[in-house]
Amino acid sequence: MSDEEAKVTVQEAEKKSQPVLKTLRPENLSVLIQKGLDLGYKVFAPVKDGELVTFEQISGPGEVFLEGITTRMSPKSVFFPRTEKVFSYRIAKEDIALGDQKDFAPPTIILGCRPCDAASLPIMDRLFRWDYQDRFWNERREATLIVSISCLECDEACFCTSVGLAPDSTEGSDILLTLVSRDQYLAEIMTDKGADFVEKTGLFDQAGADLDKAAATKAVRGKLGQRFDLDKIKPWLDENYEHDFWKEVTRMCIGCGICTYVCPTCHCFDLVDEAHYDGGAKNKNWDACQFAQFTVHASGHNPRPDQVSRHRQRIMHKYKYYPDNLGATLCTGCGRCVRHCPMEVNLIRILNGICELSAGELPAEAPESK
Amino acid sequence: MAEQMKLEEATLSDTGKDDLDNIYLPHLMVIQEIAQETPDVKSMKLVFKDEEMQKNFSFRTGQFGEFTVFGVGESTFNICSSQTWRDHIECCFRKVGRVTKALWEMNEGDIIGFRGPYGNWYPVERMEGKNILFIAGGIALPPVRCMIWHALDLRDKFKDIAILYGARSVADLVFKRELEEWEKRDDVTVVTTVDPGGETPDWKGKIGFVPTVLKEMSPRSDNAIALVCGPPVMIKFTLPVLYGLGFAKEDIITSLENRMKCGVGKCGRCNVGNVYVCKDGPIFTAAQVELLPEEY
Amino acid sequence: MIEQIREKAKELLTSGEVKVVIGYENGGMPETTRPVFITSPDEVERLIWNKHCYANLANFFVRKEVASLGKPAIIAKGCDVKAITVLVQESQIKREEIVILGVTCEGVGEPLLSKCPICDVNTPRDYNFLFGKEIAPKNGINKSADVEEFERKSPEERWEFWEEQFSRCIKCYACRQVCPLCYCEVCIADKNQPQWIETSSHTRGNVHWNLIRAWHLSGRCIDCGECERACPVGIPLSLLNRRLAKSVKERFGYEPGYDQEKAPPFTDFKQEDSQEFIR
């Protein structure tokens, strides 16, 4: 499969050449959710339970919680559950019978996801559609409609603008809603899938030409600024697999998997057998490069024997290997790893450190003419 | 979430045939024959349970598979038979981890799962018309053995064939009967060696480490390709000897191992730098390996 | 008081008495701090002390990335010192090979973490140097009030509660990694011959893991609350830990981390130990 083919993703294949612009009244968002449920979709949306906001399957619009920046866990689990049976088997006499998985991709809506989370999906499509096709991811992707909402707020951990995205990016969304005034969402309908749904609900109005998404998200863009210079990262990583920097910046990393598990683009998994007396199943479980066991050979030899090498792997994978192999940065700047690290390892700090090193080590570039 | 723990009834279906869209679903294979190679190494002949599947199955010498012991787990082994054999495949393993320990306990007639073939293969076209030097250490003979048989089956396509195989002790040599068979042939040179102290009173082969014996053998490097597999320490000391003999890095071929799960480039654990052993490998030239970080 | 800490850190590093000072520096996010490893006297200005110094730095003694730096001094709150005491008792570190820079503490977090109102070690019980004004231990604190309240529920309600809590577990093992007393070289969760704990993050595998983690810490957990703080899905692990601590205290009159000389109950046998479970 050529690189070009690898880059064709679900969204890109279905993408409309020009997004269709419509509007939705904020009070109709609940009606929209109910319509989705009535039309037979499984609907996942942010739900608040105590301090914790995560994507859950909902049964009514009242459960949805749309305040806050990002949810604790990303919506990737809708496509890539933390534990999923990929086949079952049964021992029958001297024989073994295999059972394939069926009906795992019902029509689904993810509502209220942030542009950074939506953008993670076409990035991961590149992997799951690369060469061997992972039907568990792919079929769910095809069956799922993504309705995202642009961010009007951010926190210090957010850095979408530093990885080429924005608080109102449309990447990965079928429909992106941006609150352009108190009584109007601008709806950018990006795909045929989105247009079909809009049609079915009958809740959207024609948009006037005066609606300005950029004005609505200007303040938050300003607040986000540029936290680091992405262009400097990969060239430095290309040259610096070995560098004392890694040891210095990762010494406080305790090797828990939080950063990978809350990440919308981390996708490493394990395949494990679970048996009972006359049968069992193969489960595809989330796994993490931060765990010592991740790469250990049966002989006991471990090619990544310390936390330094494991932490470096995570950054290399996101900012070098994935771009090398699949043509995209494996990070959308959602900031979850920064927000939830118990030791405040802070990816932004590390990437900034790389930018500083890169400025010190590379020949100074000619100033850009603007 | 609770519903996830219920193990649904497996549908009793035929194996594999129409399930090809599920890349994690194995084919069923029957263990046809088991040979104990050493106190902790066994080799197995495997045939697909589905005769059609066996008829249509093809792979390239050097590729690997994911072998399932149902209820225990999956393990990655090189397919140690040659692509020229169409009626079965073979694998060889050391009893060391959870899966291999379970596989060790299995009997002829038992069923295991197989996914594959995966990965790249030996650059056979480049090797044709050349002198081939095979070098293997210990349990790493199987990934070399598949190519040895490939070359022997298509003997006319290759020039001189030499095999250097070393193990810690006589007991640790695998495929002993085949070594004897090859030794009897006059169209292949076979040198076997064991580490000092590993010999038995009736040992007729060499005594010494592979790099030392290789130096003694002093094979010619012109129009030659060397295929080297073995423990990292053997590789480390063998490469300089090959370079000294005049082998170019591009003409030294090896097979890398790293822990794998999916075998198809998705699960994210077998990479060495940006190279995925399961997709870009497992076969690399010494020139390629030299560019990789030491992460294997 | 941070000035005195920095001064002491500088002195210890300059004299070569310690090779590294394990402390806190400002984090990149508001109201956060980050563990820092100061190896040069010129860098002591990075050290800070405030009510966001959550991490129990005793965690780092057993990590080779830190141990390789040489003899450490550590900034430790009263609760952190309890962990150090257990580590010494369990022969993971030698007391004379570390320097404790104890800090008095009136609680961390805004609002205070749940461990703080029931803290009776505001002044650490062991230290080489103490910083901050001594705070007398509060008397008559009920450390298991939340457990008692929870135990008023029926067994069915309690099980339902935990099942729901554990169902969220994603098996990131942050609770283990962040725990200063989870130092096993190979955790039972990582052993697969046999597979003691299912690795799948379904309820059964999750209950397995969470219960075994708690059991392995019974009679050892010093309630630093790091597991609960780290848990990304908000499982109230301290409630579980305190429940086990309550049993250990009731049965053996023992609280870990208070007295280095007193033998931990699970390494010690006494005739008068309650033995009704054997019947």
Side-chain angles (χ1 to χ4, degrees):
Chain A
M1 187 171 179
S2 74
D3 288 356
E4 278 317 299
E5 282 172 277
K7 286 173 193 166
V8 176
T9 62
V10 193
Q11 231 78 26
E12 282 160 21
E14 290 180 357
K15 208 162 178 170
K16 300 180 96 62
S17 49
Q18 276 290 314
V20 175
L21 301 183
K22 293 201 182 252
T23 61
L24 179 74
R25 300 176 65 78
E27 62 271 26
N28 276 344
L29 198 54
S30 297
V31 188
L32 180 84
I33 295 166
Q34 192 56 52
K35 282 256 170 158
L37 290 165
D38 294 345
L39 287 165
Y41 287 94
K42 267 172 102 167
V43 180
F44 288 84
V47 170
K48 190 171 196 283
D49 178 8
E51 290 295 295
L52 191 70
V53 182
T54 50
F55 277 90
E56 304 269 352
Q57 190 180 346
I58 55 155
S59 51
E63 298 163 37
V64 180
F65 179 82
L66 292 175
E67 289 158 48
I69 299 159
T70 56
T71 50
R72 187 72 59 95
M73 305 298 293
S74 86
K76 76 175 170 191
S77 56
V78 173
F79 309 95
F80 174 33
R82 57 195 193 186
T83 273
E84 165 170 35
K85 183 161 68 180
V86 290
F87 70 84
S88 53
Y89 70 90
R90 194 150 62 160
I91 300 167
K93 289 181 191 155
E94 307 275 278
D95 206 354
I96 285 175
L98 294 174
D100 202 354
Q101 290 303 97
K102 290 189 181 76
D103 308 323
F104 51 79
T108 301
I109 295 174
I110 294 184
L111 185 125
C113 89
R114 293 301 183 185
C116 50
D117 286 342
S120 72
L121 302 171
I123 293 174
M124 294 230 276
D125 286 340
R126 292 171 187 245
L127 178 90
F128 289 115
R129 291 180 171 270
W130 173 41
D131 198 1
Y132 292 89
Q133 303 285 310
D134 183 310
R135 65 190 287 205
F136 297 98
W137 174 274
N138 296 343
E139 288 178 26
R140 289 195 184 105
R141 280 284 284 134
E142 276 150 35
T144 304
L145 179 83
I146 312 288
V147 183
S148 336
I149 301 178
S150 294
C151 293
L152 302 180
E153 282 173 65
C154 68
D155 70 8
E156 288 80 354
C158 290
F159 62 99
C160 59
T161 46
S162 306
V163 291
L165 294 165
D168 53 3
S169 289
T170 56
E171 276 86 346
S173 297
D174 294 294
I175 302 168
L176 175 69
L177 303 175
T178 308
L179 194 65
V180 288
S181 67
R182 211 187 313 162
D183 55 2
Q184 232 170 12
Y185 277 114
L186 172 69
E188 290 170 271
I189 298 143
M190 306 303 299
T191 61
D192 292 338
K193 203 196 281 175
D196 286 349
F197 181 69
V198 164
E199 181 101 357
K200 274 187 217 161
T201 61
L203 289 167
F204 292 75
D205 300 316
Q206 284 308 323
D210 56 327
L211 296 174
D212 187 357
K213 176 171 88 162
T217 54
K218 189 175 172 217
V220 67
R221 277 169 195 270
K223 221 171 137 194
L224 281 159
Q226 286 291 318
R227 306 231 197 259
F228 55 85
D229 182 355
L230 182 66
D231 294 341
K232 292 211 172 82
I233 307 292
K234 190 171 172 307
W236 190 86
L237 295 178
D238 285 341
E239 302 300 325
N240 290 287
Y241 179 87
E242 299 286 352
H243 198 294
D244 283 345
F245 172 76
W246 294 119
K247 226 185 250 176
E248 291 305 316
V249 291
T250 64
R251 192 167 280 133
M252 71 295 293
C253 174
I254 53 170
C256 75
I258 290 180
C259 53
T260 67
Y261 282 15
V262 297
C263 176
T265 58
C266 273
H267 55 259
C268 292
F269 61 85
D270 194 2
L271 290 169
V272 300
D273 277 61
E274 273 187 9
H276 52 127
Y277 69 101
D278 65 348
K282 180 85 77 187
N283 285 355
K284 181 182 172 198
N285 291 343
W286 287 3
D287 205 348
C289 56
Q290 299 306 300
F291 299 155
Q293 298 295 311
F294 188 64
T295 48
V296 74
H297 293 191
S299 65
H301 167 68
N302 194 346
R304 290 193 206 117
D306 48 32
Q307 202 50 40
V308 181
S309 56
R310 297 192 275 269
H311 206 104
R312 172 183 57 201
Q313 161 67 18
R314 181 161 190 271
I315 294 168
M316 283 280 185
H317 192 198
K318 293 195 168 298
Y319 289 89
K320 170 172 163 54
Y321 304 156
Y322 206 81
D324 277 347
N325 292 324
L326 294 160
T329 300
L330 189 63
C331 173
T332 64
C334 74
R336 285 186 181 87
C337 58
V338 180
R339 231 170 265 130
H340 304 304
C341 174
M343 294 299 173
E344 232 276 330
V345 174
N346 201 326
L347 181 64
I348 300 174
R349 173 187 67 108
I350 295 177
L351 296 175
N352 260 315
I354 290 175
C355 290
E356 274 170 37
L357 284 171
S358 144
E361 285 166 10
L362 295 175
E365 285 169 47
E368 268 179 63
S369 53
K370 279 198 176 165
Chain B
M1 296 308 155
E3 82 270 16
Q4 285 181 347
M5 47 185 291
K6 276 186 237 148
L7 285 165
E8 283 159 31
E9 287 278 286
T11 11
L12 287 163
S13 73
D14 226 341
T15 65
K17 258 185 269 178
D18 49 5
D19 298 323
L20 290 171
D21 350 333
N22 184 348
I23 54 176
Y24 307 110
L25 191 69
H27 296 286
L28 299 182
M29 295 199 92
V30 182
I31 302 171
Q32 199 177 44
E33 213 178 296
I34 300 172
Q36 182 160 349
E37 303 288 343
T38 78
D40 61 358
V41 175
K42 276 183 179 177
S43 66
M44 287 181 172
K45 277 189 186 176
L46 306 164
V47 290
F48 286 96
K49 187 164 164 274
D50 179 355
E51 283 173 27
E52 277 300 300
M53 182 70 206
Q54 182 64 54
K55 242 184 255 170
N56 298 328
F57 180 77
S58 69
F59 72 101
R60 305 291 296 273
T61 307
Q63 288 192 289
F64 67 91
E66 294 291 339
F67 296 77
T68 289
V69 178
F70 288 100
V72 179
E74 214 167 19
S75 214
T76 312
F77 309 128
N78 151 268
I79 302 172
C80 69
S81 47
S82 162
Q83 69 183 54
T84 50
W85 308 351
R86 298 305 302 270
D87 58 341
H88 71 277
I89 62 167
E90 294 184 22
C91 71
C92 183
F93 60 93
R94 170 175 283 167
K95 182 173 62 160
V96 54
R98 172 175 148 100
V99 178
T100 47
K101 280 179 185 161
L103 196 54
W104 184 269
E105 299 301 327
M106 296 188 85
N107 300 311
E108 289 171 5
D110 286 350
I111 291 173
I112 64 167
F114 170 83
R115 293 190 293 125
Y118 295 138
N120 67 354
W121 49 87
Y122 289 115
V124 173
E125 294 76 12
R126 260 189 68 206
M127 297 165 78
E128 284 174 2
K130 296 210 168 132
N131 300 315
I132 311 293
L133 171 63
F134 294 103
I135 305 172
I139 179 70
L141 180 62
V144 175
R145 176 235 189 201
C146 56
M147 190 60 220
I148 294 177
W149 276 118
H150 183 120
L152 293 178
D153 284 349
L154 305 169
R155 188 63 191 86
D156 298 347
K157 295 198 170 190
F158 302 87
K159 297 186 82 177
D160 293 351
I161 294 177
I163 300 165
L164 166 58
Y165 176 45
R168 206 171 302 158
S169 72
V170 176
D172 289 312
L173 294 163
V174 300
F175 292 110
K176 286 191 193 69
R177 59 207 179 281
E178 296 188 6
L179 288 164
E180 283 166 23
E181 190 182 333
W182 298 334
E183 271 168 11
K184 283 184 197 138
R185 293 174 69 133
D186 51 13
D187 58 352
V188 47
T189 312
V190 179
V191 178
T192 46
T193 182
V194 294
D195 292 354
E199 70 275 13
T200 50
D202 58 347
W203 173 243
K204 294 193 184 64
K206 303 258 184 195
I207 297 167
F209 297 108
V210 166
T212 322
V213 178
L214 175 64
K215 226 182 247 173
E216 281 171 29
M217 267 176 86
S218 181
R220 291 179 53 184
S221 60
D222 57 312
N223 194 33
I225 282 192
L227 203 156
V228 194
C229 289
V233 59
M234 184 203 99
I235 304 266
K236 191 176 161 196
F237 290 102
T238 301
L239 289 180
V241 178
L242 286 170
Y243 299 152
L245 290 165
F247 280 88
K249 286 170 185 164
E250 291 72 20
D251 293 330
I252 302 170
I253 295 161
T254 189
S255 177
L256 286 187
E257 265 183 38
N258 244 357
R259 187 172 188 187
M260 291 177 194
K261 286 287 179 174
C262 73
V264 291
K266 315 254 181 260
C267 78
R269 79 188 63 220
C270 69
N271 67 299
V272 181
N274 64 1
V275 163
Y276 280 74
V277 174
C278 69
K279 293 266 303 141
D280 306 304
I283 315 292
F284 297 93
T285 64
Q288 289 171 317
V289 172
E290 200 181 46
L291 298 175
L292 299 177
E294 230 177 280
E295 210 172 28
Y296 48 86
Chain C
M1 116 190 180
I2 186 60
E3 280 315 316
Q4 286 94 314
I5 297 176
R6 287 175 184 159
E7 210 169 287
K8 180 55 75 182
K10 192 169 206 163
E11 183 190 317
L12 291 167
L13 287 165
T14 311
S15 70
E17 192 183 339
V18 303
K19 298 291 178 206
V20 56
V21 176
I22 309 175
Y24 306 89
E25 68 174 348
N26 272 316
M29 294 279 287
E31 304 187 348
T32 61
T33 59
R34 176 185 310 125
V36 67
F37 308 88
I38 303 291
T39 51
S40 151
D42 307 334
E43 290 191 330
V44 296
E45 294 303 311
R46 287 170 72 180
L47 292 170
I48 56 141
W49 169 253
N50 62 35
K51 57 162 46 184
H52 302 296
C53 292
Y54 303 108
N56 186 339
L57 303 175
N59 185 290
F60 291 101
F61 287 134
V62 294
R63 300 195 174 271
K64 58 183 172 194
E65 290 85 356
V66 175
S68 63
L69 295 173
K71 183 177 176 180
I74 184 171
I75 297 178
K77 309 181 283 290
C79 47
D80 306 339
V81 167
K82 285 198 285 180
I84 296 174
T85 300
V86 176
L87 286 170
V88 171
Q89 274 180 322
E90 297 182 354
S91 306
Q92 294 305 305
I93 43 172
K94 292 203 172 81
R95 180 62 186 86
E96 63 275 19
E97 288 175 7
I98 60 168
V99 172
I100 301 177
L101 308 178
V103 285
T104 61
C105 169
E106 292 185 85
V108 288
E110 280 170 316
L112 289 179
L113 299 188
S114 70
K115 66 178 170 179
C116 298
I118 52 169
C119 172
D120 60 359
V121 287
N122 305 75
T123 301
R125 292 174 60 94
D126 182 16
Y127 50 81
N128 296 79
F129 305 96
L130 183 69
F131 302 89
K133 217 175 91 196
E134 275 201 52
I135 303 167
K138 285 167 250 159
N139 285 323
I141 309 168
N142 180 1
K143 292 184 189 173
S144 44
D146 55 348
V147 173
E148 285 157 19
E149 194 191 317
F150 183 71
E151 288 188 325
R152 277 186 218 114
K153 297 182 185 203
S154 70
E156 291 75 24
E157 284 171 316
R158 294 196 315 247
W159 179 244
E160 198 183 313
F161 172 83
W162 284 116
E163 209 175 20
E164 156 65 22
Q165 294 296 328
F166 295 150
S167 76
R168 288 204 304 272
C169 173
I170 51 173
K171 289 269 176 86
C172 66
Y173 299 115
C175 47
R176 170 184 78 188
Q177 294 304 103
V178 81
C179 176
L181 301 176
C182 266
Y183 52 70
C184 290
E185 249 175 71
V186 182
C187 172
I188 192 164
D190 290 334
K191 289 188 179 159
N192 72 355
Q193 294 181 58
Q195 187 88 53
W196 295 103
I197 299 174
E198 285 175 310
T199 59
S200 296
S201 138
H202 45 43
T203 307
R204 190 179 58 215
N206 290 349
V207 170
H208 248 145
W209 161 245
N210 281 281
L211 291 189
I212 287 186
R213 187 204 64 82
W215 273 107
H216 278 189
L217 286 157
S218 62
R220 304 174 59 232
C221 171
I222 48 83
D223 196 17
C224 68
E226 281 290 88
C227 49
E228 180 169 295
R229 178 180 75 89
C231 181
V233 291
I235 301 173
L237 295 166
S238 290
L239 181 61
L240 200 60
N241 295 338
R242 284 182 198 134
R243 173 65 187 80
L244 289 165
K246 179 171 169 256
S247 279
V248 171
K249 192 174 178 189
E250 281 168 1
R251 278 161 191 268
F252 307 105
Y254 184 82
E255 279 187 278
Y258 284 80
D259 185 353
Q260 208 174 294
E261 303 308 320
K262 202 169 166 191
F266 296 139
T267 66
D268 194 32
F269 174 76
K270 291 198 186 75
Q271 279 295 340
E272 62 270 27
D273 282 345
S274 171
Q275 288 172 24
E276 82 277 10
F277 67 95
I278 302 180
R279 263 197 289 273

